[in-house]
Amino acid sequence: MVHEVRGVVALSKGAPVTIETVLVPDPGPGEALVKIQACGVCHTDLHYREGGINDEFPFLLGHEAAGIVESVGPDVTSVAPGDFVVLNWRAPCQQCRSCKRGRPWLCFNSQNASQKMTLKDGTVLSPALGIGAFLEKTLVAAGQCTKVDPSADPAAAGLLGCGVMAGWGAAVNTAPVRQGDTVAVLGCGGVGDAAIAGAIYAGARQVIAVDLDDRKLEWAKGFGATHTVNAGSGDVVEALRALTGGFGPDVVIDAVGRPETFRQAFDARDLAGTAVLVGVPNPTMVFEIPLIEVFGHGGQLKSSWYGDCLPERDFPLMIELWQQGRLPLDAFVSERIALEQVE
């Protein structure tokens, strides 16, 4: 059986997205059909539309979503029809060299659905991050479905599928922030605010939010920021040092993803401190630095892929933290719109 559903499609580079009829097949081996209840609008979708990820148009957009499993392939046992799930774009294969070495959060061959979703004329769609969730129903690998408490609000829970997990995991898993650390987060959008919340959860004694927008800095306080710095008011590196006894933060997380901000992260951290890149740069950006400065400053420079998460471990935990009042997940939901309003 083929399902005809509506979805948001980027037909060509830079063009406005359109609502198209999408044909979604019934799940085959290892696959699940999910009825989408809510999907977040992520900046990565804009990257896809603008050709910043690759040029495999047309793209079926949307990837941070939650919904109900409608049906599964004949060999699927991990989820069942009726399960409430958050979709994820890291479904460890258990077979690649990273998985076999005990590092499934870095899986090099994450699972996706084998069958293709198409337009009515047969044009094959490229689902964003292997998901494509601006769609009434989507087809994914069963491993991309993570069961969570069904009482959770789909709009909030779905955000774990990308931005919130990426930021929170950058602090908790990638850095990782330790009890008593000082932390700075550059960029206070959804990913940055999630990194702030993650740093607080991990035990940071000081979390400094940095942004050009005073409104975002005020929001950052709601996620746990203890101090704020407007990046347009002076030298960010000096401001961070001044707030940390002249030393610089133990951990600086760049949630912007530009050479200028990563240079600030590199320079601002304490000696032997850690700089984490979680903001996604575009393919043209280049970061240059004298190698002696890398050697002399010491510490670690890290990139964070999806917050180095294991969805089956991290998603249920974060839902529990939210329900306990320890993670303000619902605060990341700024508005609710219809599918037609995504553009």
Side-chain angles (χ1 to χ4, degrees):
M1 177 180 175
V2 174
H3 305 259
E4 288 195 12
V5 296
R6 298 180 310 139
V8 176
V9 176
L11 293 170
S12 59
K13 182 177 179 178
V17 300
T18 56
I19 302 294
E20 303 287 344
T21 298
V22 177
L23 305 184
V24 183
D26 268 340
E31 296 175 338
L33 181 70
V34 179
K35 184 176 182 180
I36 300 300
Q37 294 181 302
C39 181
V41 180
C42 178
H43 199 78
T44 301
D45 291 304
L46 179 61
H47 282 310
Y48 272 103
R49 192 194 74 172
E50 298 302 311
I53 305 295
N54 58 54
D55 59 358
E56 297 173 6
F57 289 91
F59 290 112
L60 178 57
L61 301 182
H63 58 278
E64 49 181 23
I68 302 294
V69 175
E70 189 165 284
S71 58
V72 298
D75 62 340
V76 172
T77 59
S78 57
V79 292
D83 285 343
F84 176 62
V85 297
V86 176
L87 300 184
N88 70 78
W89 45 271
R90 173 164 293 139
C93 68
Q94 307 300 337
Q95 298 299 318
C96 72
R97 60 192 185 280
S98 186
C99 286
K100 287 184 175 180
R101 294 173 68 186
R103 297 183 294 193
W105 56 89
L106 297 177
C107 177
F108 300 151
N109 190 31
S110 185
Q111 303 169 52
N112 293 312
S114 298
Q115 299 182 88
K116 303 299 182 183
M117 294 180 279
T118 69
L119 297 176
K120 292 191 75 172
D121 64 4
T123 301
V124 173
L125 295 167
S126 299
L129 291 174
I131 294 178
F134 286 143
L135 194 63
E136 292 166 327
K137 299 178 184 180
T138 193
L139 184 72
V140 295
Q144 293 179 281
C145 300
T146 303
K147 289 190 291 186
V148 298
D149 188 329
S151 67
D153 175 11
L159 298 179
L160 297 179
C162 188
V164 172
M165 185 69 257
W168 195 86
V172 174
N173 297 329
T174 307
V177 174
R178 301 297 187 191
Q179 186 171 347
D181 277 352
T182 56
V183 178
V185 177
L186 311 183
C188 298
V191 174
D193 285 341
I196 290 168
I200 292 295
Y201 168 77
R205 62 184 171 88
Q206 183 183 38
V207 181
I208 307 165
V210 182
D211 203 282
L212 289 164
D213 187 335
D214 284 330
R215 181 185 56 169
K216 290 185 177 181
L217 292 173
E218 194 61 34
W219 287 345
K221 294 178 183 177
F223 293 95
T226 60
H227 300 75
T228 61
V229 171
N230 187 304
S233 64
D235 188 311
V236 168
V237 173
E238 289 304 318
L240 293 178
R241 287 175 180 162
L243 288 169
T244 53
F247 302 116
D250 299 302
V251 176
V252 183
I253 298 171
D254 178 6
V256 179
R258 296 186 58 85
E260 307 96 296
T261 51
F262 195 64
R263 179 70 205 225
Q264 289 173 336
F266 178 90
D267 288 339
R269 67 201 167 103
D270 196 1
L271 282 173
T274 299
V276 177
L277 177 64
V278 65
V280 181
N282 73 47
T284 66
M285 291 177 177
V286 176
F287 178 66
E288 294 185 0
I289 191 167
L291 197 55
I292 189 61
E293 294 187 29
V294 177
F295 178 82
H297 206 122
Q300 300 181 79
L301 307 181
K302 297 183 172 184
S303 62
S304 183
W305 298 350
Y306 201 5
D308 289 329
C309 75
L310 279 176
E312 64 182 12
R313 174 195 66 194
D314 294 331
F315 288 8
L317 166 65
M318 294 172 75
I319 292 293
E320 287 185 23
L321 292 174
W322 173 39
Q323 293 170 330
Q324 295 167 6
R326 298 166 63 194
L327 174 63
L329 189 57
D330 52 337
F332 289 96
V333 181
S334 56
E335 62 178 328
R336 299 170 190 250
I337 60 175
L339 202 62
E340 294 80 5
Q341 297 173 282
V342 169
E343 174 64 32

